[in-house]
Amino acid sequence: MMERIATYWSERSPREQWMLGVMFALLAIVLLWFGVAMPLDRAQRSARETLLAATDRNAAVRVAVKQLKTLPREAATTGPATPIDQFVGQSAGEAGLTLERAQAQGSDRMDIAIASVRPVVLFSWLATLEAQDVRIDTMSARPSATAGSISVQAVLVRGAGQ
């Protein structure tokens, strides 16, 4: 087999050998690109999307578990005895959120800002707060620099709405 290839190669002129060499080099580049680089890129993107989805599910499950744990025991203890800024700060820490700004405006009102949060995590946390009698008075959200995240400013109020 190798003898046939060597014979075939030696029968070609130097110009033909040069052109065949360039063709085989280009063919190798194309095969490497479509056979190795593209599948690896697709696998990396798929893994990144899977990780983001798993992170969102993990946060939602953690919030749900915390809600279930607090329902029977702590529902009565989260009333007016705990200051709203302490309660919201602790709740945000448990949900894995970092409050960029947290300013109490009296005993039952608080202004917060979060620089970057995934919407699923934010709304799960807000649902937990509403179950604990802390509601949203005003809220504004904008896309943040991180893909798939938003930045939030909100005023939270303890007590029933009017």
Side-chain angles (χ1 to χ4, degrees):
M1 174 80 169
M2 292 302 289
E3 289 178 321
R4 285 180 47 194
I5 293 174
T7 305
Y8 177 79
W9 187 259
S10 63
E11 290 176 354
R12 303 289 148 226
S13 69
R15 180 175 179 223
E16 288 176 329
Q17 289 177 352
W18 175 251
M19 288 173 45
L20 286 172
V22 170
M23 180 190 74
F24 288 130
L26 291 174
L27 182 63
I29 290 171
V30 168
L31 289 176
L32 283 174
W33 179 258
F34 287 111
V36 177
M38 293 289 285
L40 286 176
D41 184 52
R42 277 190 228 115
Q44 183 183 18
R45 288 181 188 191
S46 174
R48 185 175 296 127
E49 291 171 3
T50 303
L51 176 65
L52 290 174
T55 302
D56 285 345
R57 283 193 311 270
N58 183 20
V61 168
R62 286 177 183 263
V63 168
V65 166
K66 291 208 183 298
Q67 282 179 333
L68 291 174
K69 285 183 178 180
T70 60
L71 284 179
R73 291 179 291 196
E74 295 183 26
T77 61
T78 59
T82 307
I84 190 169
D85 57 340
Q86 180 183 350
F87 174 71
V88 170
Q90 179 182 355
S91 175
E94 290 172 356
L97 299 175
T98 302
L99 297 179
E100 185 178 279
R101 182 181 72 239
Q103 296 174 335
Q105 299 174 342
S107 61
D108 289 337
R109 188 175 176 88
M110 180 175 190
D111 182 27
I112 65 165
I114 302 173
S116 180
V117 61
R118 301 202 39 90
V120 172
V121 176
L122 173 69
F123 292 120
S124 297
W125 176 61
L126 292 174
T128 303
L129 289 178
E130 286 182 354
Q132 303 289 331
D133 200 30
V134 175
R135 65 180 174 82
I136 303 165
D137 189 33
T138 61
M139 181 172 96
S140 67
R142 292 181 189 90
S144 72
T146 308
S149 296
I150 57 176
S151 63
V152 177
Q153 294 181 349
V155 175
L156 303 176
V157 180
R158 177 178 282 154
Q162 281 134 11

